[in-house]
Structures are given as structure tokens and as C-alpha cells.
Amino acid sequence: MKKFSSVVMEFYIGVDESGKGDFFGPLVVAGVVSNESLNEELLKLGVKDSKKLSDKRVLELADEIKKSCIYNIVVIKPKRYNELTKNLNLNRLLAWGHARVIENLLEEAEKKNLNVKKAISDRFGDESYLLNALMKKGKEIELIQRHKAEVDPAVASASILARAEFVNQLKEMSKKYGVELPKGVSPKVISTANEIVEKFGKDELLNVAKVHFKTTNLITG
């Protein structure tokens, strides 16, 4: 894949998240810096919305994206997630994560003298959440929030990086607890949560799951 060149081109940021609908595992927000030229290369690789790809393919593509794109990943692990959601609703937490990734990427792009003019994000909740969460550098660029933003190659790439990190984190947690932690919310998730409670106690769910989910009320431990 092509590397960034010194030619002046309009770069922008694509940002997306993974894990918000999964009971187990962290919330992950990722972003990449791209432009028209890089987008062409990303599409040739087969980049698309991570929800349309297998985990195996997501992990493969994530490695390729990291080789050629400036990227940033923020991981909010279950323990921290549960602490934050006592005072923040999910959309405000998502807004903070997106804003943090955008700020980190703008700082990195500045070091490389890249001219970043805008950021594109999937729309979640009220648009003001993310606008208000933007930090110093983020307030200086154009922010575009739209539904199904993953059709954009940069946002799709961000969704792949976020999902790959989520998958890897979930694998590590599964090893730690000696049980495969399933994705999403399902009867299998409930039975696995009950198994963890039986082995480690109900308080351990704070370290492995998003306990504000209604699923928590279905756990019998």
C-alpha cells in the first residue's frame, strides 16, 4: 500500500467504535487519517464496514491498515466503563471516546505536517454530544456526523481497527477466566455470565462486562 507523500493533499479523519452492543468486553474507539489516494488503496484491500466481515478477515485487514495509515485506538475496559457510566450515558461516553481519538490523530498529523481539514463519524444520539466533547484541536476542523458513515473508506477502516482490538481484548479476557466470552447479547451470554459469577462472584462482572445492560438483571448468581 502507498505511504503518505509530501504532496499537499486534503487529509481527513474517519472514526468508529466497537463493543457498544456487546455485554462482555470493552468499548473501543478507533480512527485513521486518510485521503482520496489512500482510500483507493484501502478499497483495493477489501476494506468495508467491519460488521460485514469475519473476525479472521477483520484481523488481517487491521494489520494492513496499521502499516500504512496513521491511526489511534482508545480502549475503555469494563471496569473503567462501569465507573464512567455511573455518571455518563452511553452516548456521552461514546462522544468522549471519539473526541479523544480525533484529538490524538490531529496531534499526530500535525507532527507529520499533514493538513487535516475534517473528521467523519457515525451519528449516535444528539449531534451536540460529540461537538461539545471535541477538544482544542478538534474544534478547529469540520465535523461530519452521519448515519451509516461506514460507507466511507476511512470510517470503515476505523471500524475494522476498533473491531480487531475488541476481538483481541475479548480473547485475552476469555483466557484469563478460562471460558469463551461470547459477543453480543444472547442466552449464551447469560449462561456464560452465570458461570463467571459461580466461579468468581458477582462483583467480578464489573471487570468483564458492561453491567448497565439489562442482561445483568437476568443473571441468577
Side-chain angles (χ1 to χ4, degrees), residues 16 18 43 46-59 61 148-152 155-156 159-160 163:
D16 202 13
S18 184
L43 289 172
V47 161
K48 63 177 72 173
D49 182 357
S50 63
K51 292 187 287 293
K52 299 179 180 180
L53 299 166
S54 67
D55 285 352
K56 181 176 183 294
R57 187 62 180 142
V58 161
L59 294 170
L61 284 171
K148 299 182 179 179
E150 296 88 352
V151 298
D152 179 273
V155 179
S159 80
I160 288 169
R163 194 63 181 177

Side-chain angles (χ1 to χ4, degrees), residues 114-129:
L114 300 182
N115 187 24
V116 176
K117 293 291 189 181
K118 65 182 178 182
I120 301 176
S121 166
D122 197 33
R123 184 174 177 177
F124 51 86
D126 193 296
E127 288 187 4
S128 65
Y129 289 156

